[in-house]
Amino acid sequence: MPPAVGEGLAGSELRPRGGRCGSQAARAVSADVAAETTARSSKRSAPGSRRFEAAGQWALLALVTLMSFATRFHRLDQPPHICWDETHFGKMGSYYINRTFFFDVHPPLGKMLIGLAGYLSGYDGTFSFQKPGDKYEHHSYMGMRGFCAFLGSLLIPFAYLTVLELSRSLPAALLAAALLTFDTGCLTLSQYILLDPILMFFIMAAMLSMVKYNSCASRPFSAPWWFWLSLTGVNLAGALGVKFVGLFIVLQVGWNTLSDLWHLFGDLSVSMVTMGKHLAARILCLIVLPLALYTATYAVHFMVLNKSGPGDGFFSSAFQARLAGNNLHNASIPEHLAYGSVITVKNLRMAIGYLHSHRHLYPEGIGARQQQVTTYLHKDYNNLWIIKKHNTNSDPLDPSLPVEFVRHGDIVRLEHKETSRNLHSHYHEAPLTRKHYQVTGYGINGTGDSNDFWRIEVVNRKFGNRIKVLRSRIRLIHLVTGCVLGSSGKVLPKWGWEQLEVTCTPYLKETLGSVWNVEDHINPKLPNISLDVLQPSFPEIMLESHMVMIRGNNGLKPKDNEFTSKPWHWPINYQGLRFSGINDTDFRVYLLGNPVVWWLNLLSVALYLLSGGIIAVAVQRGARLPAQVEGLSQVLLRGGGQLLFGWMIHYFPFFLMGRILYFHHYFPAMLFSCMLTGVLWDTLLRLCAWSLASSALARGVHALGILSLLLGIAYSFYLFHPLAYGMVGPLAQDPRSPMAGLRWLESWDF
C-alpha cells in the first residue's frame, strides 16, 4: 500500500537527494515547504521505518527479477529450429569458435559474446545455420539462447531501479517493470540468438549507471561516484560495440554530462580547480575509457578471426594478406608494378571484386558488339591482365631490356591475358547505367586503337611515384573520352553471367567504385618480397573495417518474404514480424508488442507532453503551486524529462535514415516509453489522490489505480502470450483459431 499522499510527497518526492534532479527539485520549493519536508522526513527516518522501506524495495526487486527470469526462460528451447535472424548471428558465433573471418554490418562485441556463450556451453561451432526452419538436432544451442535470455531478463530490474532512482516511488518502479515483463515483443526478442537483447542490456545498464552517478553528485570523487561514472563509460562502450545505434545512448549521456557541467560552472562555490577535476574525470571515464574498450573489442576480433573466410572479398587485398588460408597470406610477389607484369586489379568498393573479361560478347543492341568486361568476386584466370606501354609492342619481359616501372601519370594499355584483347572504351552507352560509357575488350593479339589507352593515376600521390602492389590506390582515366574506369555495382542479366557492370564514367568525382588496387603481381624479372611487410597497421585495419560496415549498412536490402516497416508504424504497433512458421502446421512465433502496453505507452507520451507543458508554463509564469504538487511537478519534469529525451533520441533519428528498417529497431525506444509510463501514471494518480480531502481515500485511489493498471497489463499478456511462446493450428484469419478475436488490426499477420 502506498503512503498517504501528503507523507509520500514530503518524505519521498521532495526529500533532497544527492542526484542533480533531486537537488534541483529541493531548491525549487520555498523555505516553508523545505521546513515542512524536513519535519516530515524526520518522522519517517526512524531506523525501523527505514529498514522496513529498504526491505520493501529489495523484496519488490527480487519479485520483479524472479518474474522477469521466469517469463524469459519459459519454453526457451522452443522451437528447436532456427528462427529469423538466428541464421545470421548463430552462424557468426560459429565463426568465432572456428576463428573464421566474416563480414557483418554491426560492430563485433555482440557476436563475440554469442560465440563465447556457445563455446562455454559446449557448442562446437559445426552447425551450419543455413536458413530459418533448419532443426538444431543434436547441436547445443541452449547456451547461446540462454545467454541472450539472461541479458534480456536483466532489462526489467534495470528499469525498476532506474525509475526508482528518478522518482523515489516504488509504485512507479513496479509499474514500469510490469510493462516490460508483460510485453510480448520484448519477451520474444529476448528468447533467441539475436543482438537486440545484448544491445538493450548495455543501453539500460548505461542509463541506470548514469542516474546512479547523478545521485552521487553531493559526494563527488567518492568511491561510489567513481564507480558509477566508470561503469557508465563501460556500458557506453558495450552499447556502441554491439550496434552503431548504441550511439544514441552515448548522445543521451553526453547531453546529461554537459548539463551537469554547466550547472557546476554556474555554482560559484565550486572553484575552477575543482571544475577542472570534474571535467577531467568525465573525459577520462566517458570518453577515454569507452574508446579504449571499444578499440580493445576490435583488437580481440581481429586476433581471434585470423583464418580466411566468407568475409575476405569485402576487404582490401592488403587486409586479406593477414588471413591464414588466403592466397595472399605469406605470399611473395614483386613490390612495385613494372611493364610486362601479369596482374589482377581489384575494385575498392565493397563486394565489387576484380576487373574481369571473357570471350562472350555484348548482345546485339547493347552498345558495340565487342567482348564483355565485368567485375567478378572470385579468383579466376579471366581476371589476369598484362600491363604494357601504350606506344610499343616490344616484349617488356625480354631479358635484354631493362626493367621499367610503371609510375603515376603514365599512359598504359591493359591486355587481357586469356583473350589478348585490350581494355577499351568509347562513346557508346553502358549496358545498364545511363550517361556512362561502355567498357569492352577490343583488338587482336594486343593490337587495337587509341581507345585502348589509359592514364594511370595514384590517388593522393605525386607524378613520378612508383605504384606499390596492394597499397597504392589507383584510377584509370581513358585518354580519348576523359572518363574514369569504375563499376556501378549493378548486376548484369544472364547474358552477362550475372556479374557486375563495368563502365567508364564521365563524372570525374572520386568514388570507391572508380578506385582500384593491384593485387596479384607476376613478373620474373623482379625480386619478390614477403607481403607481410605490406600488411596494414591496426589503425588502418580498424578504419577500413568501419568504412566497410558503414557502406554495408547503407546497402542493406530486405530478405525474401520479409516485411520491412516505417518508423511511424512502430509506436502504434501497426505491423509485426514473423519469427517462425507461415502456415497452420508450423510452430508460429510472431514478434508483436502487447497492444495494451504499447498503446498505453503512446497515450502516456501524449499525456506527458500535455501535462508537462501545462506545468512548465505555470512554473515559468510564476504560479505558486502547493507543496505536494510542486514536488510531483519536479519529479515529472526532471525524471520524466530524462526518459522522454531517451525515447525521442532512440526513435526520431530513424526518420532520417535511408537504410532499410525493421520493427525491432524501435525496441530500445520502447524501453524508455515504458519507464516514462510508470513515472507519469504514478504521478497523475498521486495528483488525483491529493485533490481528495481524506488521507485514507487518497491512499485507496492511488493503490486502486496502480493495481488496475497492473492487472490490465497482466491480463493482456495472458491473452497475447501465444505470440511469443508459439502458436499451432488455424491462423488468426480463421474463425476457428483461438487468436481470431485478438486480431485487432488487419495489418497483424499471425
Side-chain angles (χ1 to χ4, degrees):
M1 183 72 70
V5 175
E7 292 179 1
L9 293 174
S12 182
E13 277 78 0
L14 290 182
R15 183 168 62 247
R17 294 190 287 127
R20 182 167 50 86
C21 298
S23 59
Q24 289 172 349
R27 286 194 298 271
V29 298
S30 56
D32 56 325
V33 174
E36 181 184 355
T37 299
T38 305
R40 294 187 180 183
S41 295
S42 299
K43 294 179 183 178
R44 289 175 51 85
S45 61
S49 177
R50 285 203 307 269
R51 283 195 297 271
F52 179 78
E53 184 179 349
Q57 290 182 4
W58 284 107
L60 270 180
L61 177 60
L63 175 64
V64 160
T65 305
L66 180 64
M67 285 293 295
S68 174
F69 276 81
T71 53
R72 270 60 185 166
F73 278 84
H74 178 61
R75 302 192 68 182
L76 187 63
D77 59 331
Q78 297 297 318
H81 60 245
I82 300 173
C83 292
W84 195 51
D85 271 356
E86 284 189 320
T87 186
H88 298 304
F89 302 120
K91 183 185 297 181
M92 292 169 189
S94 299
Y95 285 143
Y96 278 106
I97 293 172
N98 298 317
R99 308 193 68 174
T100 303
F101 187 76
F102 67 94
F103 164 71
D104 185 43
V105 297
H106 305 300
L109 179 60
K111 283 96 64 181
M112 281 198 293
L113 293 174
I114 289 172
L116 179 62
Y119 176 76
L120 294 176
S121 61
Y123 171 58
D124 58 7
T126 57
F127 186 62
S128 62
F129 284 97
Q130 190 169 355
K131 65 182 185 299
D134 288 354
K135 293 187 179 299
Y136 286 113
E137 297 177 340
H138 64 279
H139 294 277
S140 175
Y141 65 98
M142 283 296 291
M144 292 181 283
R145 278 194 184 173
F147 170 72
C148 293
F150 176 78
L151 297 187
S153 300
L154 291 176
L155 297 177
I156 286 86
F158 283 0
Y160 171 88
L161 292 171
T162 300
V163 172
L164 185 62
E165 193 66 46
L166 290 174
S167 67
R168 294 297 181 183
S169 169
L170 285 175
L174 183 61
L175 180 56
L179 289 164
L180 286 174
T181 301
F182 297 125
D183 177 57
T184 51
C186 192
L187 167 61
T188 303
L189 278 183
S190 297
Q191 288 198 305
Y192 297 96
I193 306 170
L194 303 172
L195 296 185
D196 300 271
I198 308 174
L199 172 68
M200 292 191 289
F201 167 82
F202 283 114
I203 288 174
M204 286 298 297
M207 185 68 187
L208 176 59
S209 304
M210 183 187 77
V211 299
K212 283 289 189 181
Y213 95 72
N214 280 345
S215 71
C216 298
S218 61
R219 297 171 291 154
F221 311 113
S222 63
W225 186 89
W226 278 111
F227 173 78
W228 290 114
L229 186 63
S230 302
L231 192 59
T232 303
V234 171
N235 289 318
L236 292 181
L240 193 57
V242 175
K243 283 189 176 184
F244 284 130
V245 294
L247 180 64
F248 299 151
I249 190 64
V250 174
L251 294 176
Q252 181 167 11
V253 172
W255 177 257
N256 176 81
T257 303
L258 289 175
S259 175
D260 203 25
L261 290 173
W262 184 249
H263 168 69
L264 286 170
F265 186 68
D267 188 347
L268 299 182
S269 65
V270 177
S271 69
M272 293 307 294
V273 173
T274 304
M275 185 68 197
K277 291 179 180 178
H278 275 281
L279 180 61
R282 285 158 175 79
I283 291 174
L284 176 65
C285 295
L286 300 180
I287 297 178
V288 176
L289 177 61
L291 285 178
L293 293 174
Y294 182 74
T295 304
T297 62
Y298 278 90
V300 175
H301 170 72
F302 294 130
M303 180 177 66
V304 172
L305 301 184
N306 61 357
K307 297 179 182 178
S308 179
D312 293 18
F314 293 91
F315 290 80
S316 68
S317 306
F319 185 98
Q320 293 180 42
R322 54 179 294 279
L323 299 172
N326 189 283
N327 67 309
L328 296 175
H329 184 65
N330 289 334
S332 296
I333 61 175
E335 181 178 9
H336 294 104
L337 187 61
Y339 289 105
S341 296
V342 178
I343 61 174
T344 58
V345 185
K346 188 174 188 294
N347 195 276
L348 265 63
R349 185 176 168 188
M350 182 185 70
I352 295 297
Y354 301 92
L355 187 65
H356 176 97
S357 188
H358 40 237
R359 296 187 184 276
H360 301 278
L361 306 181
Y362 287 101
E364 197 73 44
I366 305 295
R369 200 162 191 274
Q370 297 173 4
Q371 186 167 293
Q372 295 175 18
V373 173
T374 64
T375 60
Y376 188 53
L377 267 174
H378 306 286
K379 299 284 187 180
D380 190 281
Y381 285 114
N382 282 322
N383 299 342
L384 297 175
W385 301 82
I386 305 171
I387 188 162
K388 295 185 174 182
K389 287 190 170 185
H390 73 289
N391 55 0
T392 178
N393 284 321
S394 61
D395 183 7
L397 298 181
D398 187 340
S400 63
L401 297 176
V403 173
E404 192 170 351
F405 291 103
V406 181
R407 299 179 184 273
H408 173 75
D410 283 1
I411 298 172
V412 302
R413 178 165 52 88
L414 285 174
E415 180 183 314
H416 190 242
K417 188 173 188 300
E418 292 296 303
T419 62
S420 298
R421 298 186 188 274
N422 296 325
L423 186 69
H424 177 99
S425 188
H426 42 221
Y427 286 106
H428 292 275
E429 192 169 74
L432 302 180
T433 306
R434 296 185 59 191
K435 299 183 179 179
H436 284 210
Y437 300 140
Q438 183 187 32
V439 177
T440 68
Y442 178 76
I444 300 174
N445 294 326
T447 301
D449 59 25
S450 59
N451 281 324
D452 304 339
F453 301 158
W454 302 82
R455 185 173 68 255
I456 192 166
E457 294 183 351
V458 182
V459 177
N460 297 328
R461 301 294 288 273
K462 297 180 180 178
F463 277 84
N465 283 355
R466 295 178 181 181
I467 294 171
K468 185 176 290 189
V469 297
L470 301 190
R471 303 305 299 273
S472 293
R473 297 154 52 96
I474 61 174
R475 299 206 308 165
L476 292 165
I477 314 296
H478 192 243
L479 208 60
V480 173
T481 64
C483 60
V484 183
L485 183 73
S487 176
S488 66
K490 297 177 181 178
V491 179
L492 293 169
K494 290 189 181 297
W495 57 255
W497 304 94
E498 296 182 341
Q499 295 172 10
L500 302 185
E501 180 191 39
V502 169
T503 71
C504 199
T505 171
Y507 309 108
L508 300 182
K509 181 181 178 182
E510 181 185 320
T511 64
L512 284 173
S514 64
V515 180
W516 310 77
N517 71 272
V518 176
E519 184 171 291
D520 297 287
H521 184 210
I522 304 167
N523 192 318
K525 295 176 68 174
L526 293 175
N528 291 339
I529 64 163
S530 172
L531 290 184
D532 289 344
V533 302
L534 300 180
Q535 287 185 17
S537 63
F538 174 73
E540 290 174 314
I541 292 173
M542 191 167 174
L543 177 62
E544 179 179 351
S545 183
H546 279 77
M547 295 301 295
V548 172
M549 284 190 291
I550 291 169
R551 293 197 299 270
N553 253 308
N554 293 334
L556 282 177
K557 296 179 180 179
K559 297 184 280 291
D560 293 338
N561 302 318
E562 186 168 64
F563 290 106
T564 60
S565 59
K566 297 179 181 178
W568 69 266
H569 291 168
W570 303 340
I572 62 176
N573 214 22
Y574 177 76
Q575 187 179 53
L577 199 157
R578 289 197 197 105
F579 260 48
S580 175
I582 57 174
N583 55 51
D584 57 1
T585 61
D586 292 337
F587 185 92
R588 301 189 306 278
V589 176
Y590 191 71
L591 176 66
L592 185 74
N594 182 333
V596 173
V597 171
W598 284 55
W599 294 341
L600 180 64
N601 287 345
L602 190 61
L603 174 65
S604 299
V605 170
L607 282 177
Y608 179 85
L609 292 173
L610 177 64
S611 58
I614 292 172
I615 292 171
V617 169
V619 170
Q620 190 67 18
R621 293 294 297 172
R624 184 172 177 81
L625 302 176
Q628 294 88 341
V629 177
E630 177 76 18
L632 287 173
S633 300
Q634 294 298 330
V635 169
L636 190 64
L637 291 178
R638 302 191 185 282
Q642 283 266 31
L643 300 172
L644 178 69
F645 181 68
W647 174 77
M648 293 172 63
I649 204 163
H650 284 86
Y651 174 48
F652 286 111
F654 286 103
F655 284 93
L656 306 177
M657 293 185 185
R659 57 154 290 174
I660 186 172
L661 297 173
Y662 297 101
F663 177 46
H664 70 100
H665 287 134
Y666 180 69
F667 278 82
M670 180 263 183
L671 299 176
F672 288 89
S673 65
C674 284
M675 292 189 287
L676 177 63
T677 299
V679 172
L680 175 77
W681 285 96
D682 176 68
T683 304
L684 292 181
L685 287 170
R686 287 185 183 277
L687 286 172
C688 291
W690 166 80
S691 64
L692 301 172
S694 168
S695 176
L697 183 59
R699 284 175 178 269
V701 167
H702 180 269
L704 182 62
I706 294 293
L707 185 61
S708 299
L709 288 170
L710 291 174
L711 290 176
I713 295 164
Y715 181 67
S716 66
F717 175 74
Y718 168 74
L719 293 177
F720 286 95
H721 77 274
L723 297 176
Y725 290 133
M727 303 167 283
V728 178
L731 303 177
Q733 294 91 327
D734 191 326
R736 298 171 299 164
S737 170
M739 303 297 291
L742 298 175
R743 192 165 177 254
W744 296 349
L745 294 181
E746 288 294 323
S747 53
W748 294 352
D749 188 23
F750 53 76

